[in-house]
Amino acid sequence: MGRRKKGDVVDGWVCLDKPFEMGSTEAVSRIRRLFNAQKAGHAGTLDPLASGILPIALGEATKTVPMMMDAQKVYRFTINWGVSTDSVDREGEIIGRSDVRPTVEAVKAALPAFVGEIDQTPPRFSAIKVDGARAYDLARDGVEFELQSRRVTIYSAEVSDAPDAADPVQDWVELTIRTGKGVYVRSLARDLAVVLGAEGHVSALRRELVGPFSTQNAVTLDSLEEMVHRGAASEGLLAVATALDDIPELAVTEQDAFSLRQGRPIVLLPRQVETLKDRLRDGSRTVSAFQGQTLVALCQLRAGRLEPDRVFNLS
């Protein structure tokens, strides 16, 4: 007989508005304890110095975390001019100073070069592993190493706030960007400062969107604690299928749902195949199967059949 898992069966997503100075791992632990959930994970690390959207998966929702890896993200952040640091944020050691204060017009003129598919080198203070060690640990120890550039995508970048033009002090600028996976805001700030001939660092950072998770459906830790206190924790949960908002759905019969849950493929009608093909995009074959309102499985569409990839145990 298998060992009984500790905690309750809790399935769903929490769109947490993570507070400043809390790490992602701590946030996941706090949410897991609040719900007394058996299993938890997160979709996309958010630095302690950043606030904003941290999607946390509980129970069966953890099976959909991989679907969030390619989700678009929106960041709003402030670059302070005049000082650069080794970590490219306000906690790092100062490594450069300058009197150069780029104008808003200069920033706007430079941004298009950072939109689209670009090569970006991660900051030295990052969680990337180098020969088995985290880059930030090596950087703190003064070890010399190089990080390889990566191909990433920034869909848009714009100035969202800046000092009034009449203000004699132009020490900062706020940018809002929409990105694909793997983009480092601090690298963008670093590279933008170089192009503008200035010194700068990220002084504030907030993530406002991760795929379907945004400030519109987010909850704070305080509000979740209040829900739990009055026995209404479920009000803070979003459906497991929330992470699958851009994946085509197919309604299946009870018999087909049983087959999929057993790991067996089901045969589709020609019209079902054509409908799904019209809705699939970017070469994807992934389809979500539902019996009524219940998510049954994530499947791959192959040769007129749905082959179960991930099966969900939801009531």
Side-chain angles (χ1 to χ4, degrees), residues 39-59:
K39 190 175 182 180
H42 66 76
T45 300
L46 196 58
D47 290 344
L49 290 180
S51 67
I53 303 306
L54 179 66
I56 296 177
L58 300 177

Side-chain angles (χ1 to χ4, degrees), residues 45 102 107 112 129 179 205 231 294 299:
T45 300
V107 174
K129 286 193 174 182
T179 79
L205 171 61
T294 303
C299 310

Side-chain angles (χ1 to χ4, degrees), residues 208-228:
E208 299 186 329
L209 178 142
V210 179
F213 302 100
S214 71
T215 53
Q216 301 302 311
N217 55 9
V219 292
T220 64
L221 271 175
D222 287 343
S223 62
L224 275 176
E225 289 171 352
E226 187 272 332
M227 292 174 195
V228 171

Side-chain angles (χ1 to χ4, degrees), residues 67 247-248 280 283-288 298-301 306 309:
M67 310 306 297
I247 294 176
L280 290 169
S284 173
R285 294 174 176 268
T286 304
V287 175
S288 54
L298 279 173
C299 310
Q300 296 297 309
L301 176 64
L306 275 191
D309 200 12

Side-chain angles (χ1 to χ4, degrees), residues 43-280:
T45 300
L46 196 58
D47 290 344
L49 290 180
S51 67
I53 303 306
L54 179 66
I56 296 177
L58 300 177
E60 290 293 277
T62 58
K63 296 178 180 178
T64 65
V65 167
M67 310 306 297
M68 298 302 300
M69 298 306 294
D70 295 327
Q72 291 190 22
K73 302 173 180 65
V74 172
Y75 296 94
R76 179 165 51 87
F77 61 100
T78 301
I79 301 176
N80 271 41
W81 303 117
V83 170
S84 59
T85 68
D86 55 3
S87 59
V88 205
D89 60 33
R90 58 192 180 83
E91 284 203 338
E93 296 292 330
I94 295 175
I95 58 174
R97 296 181 184 274
S98 171
D99 292 331
V100 175
R101 300 294 187 269
T103 64
V104 172
E105 290 71 23
V107 174
K108 289 180 178 179
L111 284 178
F114 296 95
V115 175
E117 287 192 6
I118 63 172
D119 290 317
Q120 186 185 72
T121 303
R124 289 171 60 80
F125 283 80
S126 62
I128 292 174
K129 286 193 174 182
V130 180
D131 296 330
R134 296 292 184 185
Y136 52 66
D137 288 329
L138 297 176
R140 290 192 187 107
D141 292 340
V143 177
E144 290 297 323
F145 63 93
E146 289 188 9
L147 294 175
Q148 299 298 313
S149 66
R150 301 178 171 191
R151 199 71 173 167
V152 299
T153 302
I154 297 179
Y155 296 102
S156 64
E158 60 184 17
V159 174
S160 48
D161 198 7
D164 187 272
D167 192 332
V169 180
Q170 303 286 314
D171 281 340
W172 59 274
V173 67
E174 183 189 89
L175 304 179
T176 298
I177 61 174
R178 180 179 290 269
T179 79
K181 65 179 180 180
V183 171
Y184 282 90
V185 169
R186 287 177 292 142
S187 292
L188 174 59
R190 175 200 64 205
D191 298 342
L192 181 61
V194 170
V195 167
L196 295 170
E199 302 290 347
H201 66 277
V202 175
S203 59
L205 171 61
R206 180 168 174 78
R207 187 160 67 188
E208 299 186 329
L209 178 142
V210 179
F213 302 100
S214 71
T215 53
Q216 301 302 311
N217 55 9
V219 292
T220 64
L221 271 175
D222 287 343
S223 62
L224 275 176
E225 289 171 352
E226 187 272 332
M227 292 174 195
V228 171
H229 180 71
R230 58 183 172 87
S234 60
E235 292 180 9
L237 273 182
L238 299 173
V240 171
T242 302
L244 312 177
D245 70 326
D246 60 347
I247 294 176
E249 299 177 10
L250 179 70
V252 298
T253 64
E254 183 177 352
Q255 181 177 349
D256 283 344
F258 179 80
S259 295
L260 291 172
R261 289 191 177 104
Q262 296 299 309
R264 299 196 300 269
I266 61 173
V267 178
L268 303 181
L269 297 172
R271 60 179 176 79
Q272 291 176 307
V273 174
E274 291 306 313
T275 298
L276 289 173
K277 284 183 176 180
D278 288 341
R279 296 172 61 195
L280 290 169

